[in-house]
Amino acid sequence: MIVFFQSLLSGVLIGGVYALIGIGLTIIFGVMRIINFAHGDIMMIGMYLTYNLFAMAGIDPFLSIAITIPIMFVFGALLQKLFINRVLNALPQNQILLTIGLGLIMSNTMMLIYTSDYKILSTSYSSSSVKLFGISISEPLAISFVITAAITALLYWFFLKTDTGQAIRATAQDREAAQLMGINVKRMSIIAFGLGAALAGTAGALISPTYYIFPQIGSIFTLKAFVITVLGGMGSILGATLGGVIIGVAESMGAVYISSGWKDVVVFVLFLLVLLFKPAGLLGKSRM
Amino acid sequence: MLKIDKLNFSYDDLKVLWDIDLEVHEGEIVSVVGSNGAGKSTTLKNISRLVRPDSGSILFQGEEITKLESHQVVERGIVQVPEGRKIFPEMTVRENLRMGSFIKSAKATRESNMERVFTLFPRLKEREKQLGGTMSGGEQQMLAIGRGLMTNPKLLLLDEPSLGLSPLLVGNIFEIIKEINRQGVTILLVEQNVYQSLRIAHRGYVLETGRVVLSGKGEDLLNDPHVRKAFLGM
């Protein structure tokens, strides 16, 4: 029983970070109807940013998100302004090519600078854990989960209570009607992509104490983000939150009860089952 | 107030508007009538800058607006209630109205405007917390008009407000349009319901295949033999 709760808890903790990545992708999709195939690479940039702040300035990875978040927001906003805004009315395949291309440029640029060697960001607490009711909780995962929860709560408040947040939702629900309300939809798109990139970057920062850092890590997480958002329902923030936690738990359970080599199989079987019985995703009907 | 001069527009190779001249004076209700595909909605889309014209000018209070972005047109005081209502389906009635007061100049009067909308449409007050997408067609139309009023429009563009409503509600909607006009909002109304819309209009225009074929006072147009034959079946 202890093993069950142990893997459930680890799954939920890592699922929180997954949710952050998924929410970012779903916001971008919701507002722009574009699937950002550079999402994992943006996360990877966030990892390197965190690594550098730690290695060069000695800033703790969890504290450094105060720097990472604004930088990644501006990075995402610029990507939208300079590239994505130009293809908003283009064919879907062109949009896909653009985001894949941007991702390739990011990963290859990082490879040029840092080579493809694995980097490890080890803090004093990287491998420490606390015991609670016989369950051991990894300290960095626990801290990252608390931060994730706080950011998610803040995000919900932003989308439900502020004018700008509501305007972004309005743009996602009906772009033309939003324009007729005097909402500058191009500006909202820039904010939305900035938010998506900031969330991906934050996720990168949060996992950097527990993951290897290398330039190609992005593609793994792009796929993961895609699975999470499709599972939860494209464009649904609540769906992405739920999807992230489900994928986290599925991986963790799969690793414990089958084998860690098979955890991705568990995830994809689950994914296919959901698509089979609920093709629009778990919360597929709801929009932002 | 609004002066459209020789407006031409085409969707790709298909020319839709031919040299449209149209004027709206302050305080008026002006109706544009015509059958499906005559170019009525396209004219409104040009005013709201959702599409770009081939040529021609649109002056609003002396300012050329064909260079502006959609949201800037709204900031100048032109608000459109689009065909098919286009309310935000996953937002509550209150949130929808709140989006109507997104622009800076409307934020200050948000609460008083909300009261004004609720007085005009008591039904919306009852449904305040309901999601827009779950309401009936008539309620959605009220919400769409209410949302437009939240922006403090000087000129309200209404695109087919009676479309899809029950006959009883159709009469109601036209009474409400008159009431909004009495409160000082200039109205440009686009309708297929030729009789009702010309009846409440000060002036009207008849559009056929993208051209203005007739214009004049509302009641004169109602008595015009061509209008009676083509639209009223008399």
Side-chain angles (χ1 to χ4, degrees):
Chain A
M1 213 49 194
I2 285 284
V3 176
F4 175 80
F5 282 113
Q6 175 74 61
S7 55
L8 181 69
L9 187 73
S10 314
V12 171
L13 291 185
I14 190 68
V17 180
Y18 287 173
L20 226 47
I21 304 172
I23 293 171
L25 191 72
T26 222
I27 291 173
I28 292 170
F29 177 80
V31 174
M32 261 82 70
R33 302 280 134 182
I34 279 180
I35 297 164
N36 176 25
F37 282 97
H39 207 64
D41 298 295
I42 294 175
M43 190 206 80
M44 175 271 300
I45 304 258
M47 288 180 99
Y48 273 99
L49 203 57
T50 310
Y51 174 79
N52 278 324
L53 286 168
F54 181 75
M56 291 175 183
I59 305 174
D60 180 273
F62 292 125
L63 292 179
S64 72
I65 59 167
I67 304 168
T68 317
I69 290 177
I71 291 179
M72 293 310 289
F73 181 88
V74 172
F75 180 63
L78 281 176
L79 285 180
Q80 176 70 29
K81 202 175 163 71
L82 297 177
F83 303 108
I84 315 282
N85 261 345
R86 291 169 201 264
V87 298
L88 281 186
N89 299 315
L91 297 167
Q93 56 267 38
N94 293 356
Q95 301 171 335
I96 291 170
L97 280 176
L98 175 67
T99 57
I100 290 179
L102 287 172
L104 281 175
I105 292 172
M106 289 177 214
S107 58
N108 282 284
T109 308
M110 291 324 243
M111 199 151 71
L112 207 63
I113 305 175
Y114 298 102
T115 73
S116 3
D117 292 349
Y118 286 21
K119 299 248 186 299
I120 297 167
L121 192 167
S122 67
T123 56
S124 55
Y125 50 81
S126 265
S127 51
S128 58
S129 58
V130 287
K131 279 241 175 208
L132 201 73
F133 304 116
I135 301 171
S136 83
I137 306 165
S138 146
E139 219 170 282
L141 272 186
I143 301 172
S144 83
F145 184 80
V146 171
I147 295 174
T148 303
I151 290 176
T152 311
L154 206 64
L155 212 57
Y156 275 95
W157 172 81
F158 172 74
F159 279 118
L160 292 173
K161 296 291 173 208
T162 68
D163 273 352
T164 310
Q166 291 223 322
I168 292 175
R169 284 172 62 213
T171 308
Q173 288 175 27
D174 193 323
R175 202 173 177 87
E176 195 171 285
Q179 277 175 289
L180 293 176
M181 295 299 102
I183 294 168
N184 183 347
V185 292
K186 276 201 172 146
R187 199 166 147 253
M188 293 308 145
S189 304
I190 290 171
I191 297 176
F193 209 101
L195 273 177
L199 289 171
T202 310
L206 294 180
I207 61 171
S208 56
T210 40
Y211 271 75
Y212 291 118
I213 302 166
F214 57 102
Q216 284 81 21
I217 195 173
S219 56
I220 304 167
F221 278 91
T222 299
L223 185 62
K224 212 165 265 186
F226 188 67
V227 169
I228 290 165
T229 41
V230 174
L231 188 77
M234 298 291 283
S236 160
I237 296 181
L238 200 60
T241 316
L242 195 66
V245 175
I246 290 175
I247 295 297
V249 171
E251 272 187 5
S252 165
M253 294 280 185
V256 170
Y257 287 104
I258 302 172
S259 98
S260 64
W262 283 75
K263 66 176 190 183
D264 287 337
V265 177
V266 176
V267 167
F268 288 120
V269 167
L270 188 74
F271 177 60
L272 289 176
L273 284 177
V274 170
L275 283 192
L276 212 54
F277 293 107
K278 216 159 176 313
L282 293 174
L283 299 175
K285 256 184 69 190
S286 65
R287 273 161 281 195
M288 284 171 79
Chain B
M1 188 179 215
L2 182 83
K3 192 171 189 312
I4 301 179
D5 197 25
K6 296 228 175 325
L7 185 72
N8 285 280
F9 174 81
S10 30
Y11 284 112
D12 296 324
D13 291 335
L14 181 69
K15 187 145 184 184
V16 183
L17 298 180
W18 307 73
D19 285 336
I20 300 284
D21 289 329
L22 192 151
E23 235 180 302
V24 181
H25 305 297
E26 190 150 4
E28 278 187 324
I29 298 179
V30 172
S31 291
V32 179
V33 298
S35 54
N36 227 343
K40 307 181 303 289
S41 296
T42 308
T43 306
L44 292 195
K45 282 196 171 138
N46 270 282
I47 301 173
S48 286
R49 302 288 296 141
L50 292 174
V51 293
R52 314 272 123 123
D54 303 337
S55 66
S57 100
I58 305 175
L59 289 178
F60 180 67
Q61 297 188 316
E63 184 191 9
E64 180 65 54
I65 60 168
T66 47
K67 299 282 175 288
L68 300 179
E69 296 279 334
S70 287
H71 64 97
Q72 293 171 313
V73 171
V74 178
E75 282 161 8
R76 299 296 188 281
I78 304 178
V79 177
Q80 183 182 155
V81 178
E83 184 181 351
R85 306 126 169 109
K86 282 184 161 287
I87 56 157
F88 303 116
E90 302 291 329
M91 287 186 170
T92 64
V93 168
R94 185 171 268 277
E95 284 178 317
N96 263 282
L97 291 176
R98 191 173 153 191
M99 275 299 99
S101 57
F102 178 77
I103 61 167
K104 259 195 205 108
S105 60
K107 260 173 203 162
T109 50
R110 180 174 282 169
E111 289 310 314
S112 60
N113 276 346
M114 195 116 35
E115 283 314 306
R116 179 180 160 206
V117 170
F118 285 149
T119 318
L120 208 54
F121 305 107
R123 188 89 186 162
L124 293 182
K125 175 83 186 161
E126 294 164 26
R127 305 265 151 145
E128 208 180 330
K129 296 211 165 62
Q130 196 174 327
L131 286 185
T134 64
M135 300 207 301
S136 75
E139 290 164 345
Q140 289 192 359
Q141 189 61 56
M142 294 177 197
L143 180 55
I145 295 175
R147 190 181 60 177
L149 290 175
M150 293 294 295
T151 318
N152 291 327
K154 291 177 189 148
L155 173 64
L156 190 64
L157 314 175
L158 296 169
D159 195 352
E160 305 275 8
S162 77
L163 198 73
L165 300 187
S166 71
L168 186 71
L169 278 176
V170 169
N172 268 342
I173 284 285
F174 284 102
E175 280 314 306
I176 283 160
I177 294 169
K178 265 169 84 177
E179 172 59 30
I180 293 167
N181 179 248
R182 261 197 297 273
Q183 294 177 4
V185 182
T186 309
I187 286 170
L188 178 57
L189 172 66
V190 154
E191 261 294 343
Q192 288 192 51
N193 190 327
V194 175
Y195 174 71
Q196 289 272 22
S197 63
L198 286 181
R199 202 175 54 84
I200 64 163
H202 298 100
R203 289 188 307 112
Y205 292 82
V206 180
L207 245 60
E208 267 169 29
T209 56
R211 291 181 179 84
V212 175
V213 292
L214 267 177
S215 65
K217 283 187 173 169
E219 52 200 282
D220 292 349
L221 286 178
L222 269 180
N223 293 321
D224 183 272
H226 176 71
V227 173
R228 291 172 77 91
K229 188 160 175 288
F231 299 109
L232 303 173
M234 292 184 216

